[in-house]
Amino acid sequence: MKISGSERFMAALGYLAFLFIVPVKLRRDSMFVQFHARQGGVLFGLWIVLLLVLFIGLLFAGGAGIVPTILLSVMFVATVLYFLMALIGLLKVALGERYRMPVVADVALLLRL
């Protein structure tokens, strides 16, 4: 199956943070675009929720100590993993492949956007 350049562009938007909503709404006819846009949206959503939970934990943890250091470290690791997974998604879009990210793809298939 040949994937056009415009489909690849729209699918790539799916991995660029909150821009995932653009291909979800504009390219309902393309399964390739929908797959990647939804997967990118779930990836972004999971990252935001995790950062929010960690930030709230950081607020309750107080000033200096081991707990805030651990929470900040987890935030950093989560951010690096998010960008790494988004980069992998972008690479797979460029190659015209449908790569199912563990957990993320399963959640994305359940969504009705």
Side-chain angles (χ1 to χ4, degrees):
M1 181 165 105
K2 183 81 169 139
I3 307 297
S4 71
S6 66
E7 282 184 307
R8 288 179 195 211
F9 174 75
M10 290 299 275
L13 281 180
Y15 291 105
L16 301 178
F18 59 87
L19 291 178
F20 75 92
I21 201 72
V22 173
V24 166
K25 295 298 181 187
L26 294 182
R27 291 302 302 265
R28 292 207 179 269
D29 59 328
S30 173
M31 292 300 290
F32 180 77
V33 172
Q34 288 293 307
F35 174 81
H36 283 289
R38 289 175 189 216
Q39 187 166 260
V42 169
L43 182 65
F44 177 69
L46 289 174
W47 176 63
I48 289 296
V49 168
L50 180 61
L51 285 185
L52 186 62
V53 167
L54 291 171
F55 184 73
I56 290 170
L58 195 59
L59 290 176
F60 286 112
I66 189 81
V67 174
T69 304
I70 291 172
L71 290 175
L72 285 172
S73 299
V74 172
M75 287 172 107
F76 177 75
V77 169
T79 301
V80 169
L81 284 175
Y82 166 72
F83 283 114
L84 181 66
M85 293 300 286
L87 227 80
I88 290 170
L90 287 170
L91 175 66
K92 293 300 182 177
V93 165
L95 294 173
E97 299 175 8
R98 287 180 63 166
Y99 172 67
R100 291 177 50 87
M101 293 180 187
V103 179
V104 175
D106 297 330
V107 175
L109 289 175
L110 297 174
L111 286 181
R112 296 247 174 205
L113 295 175

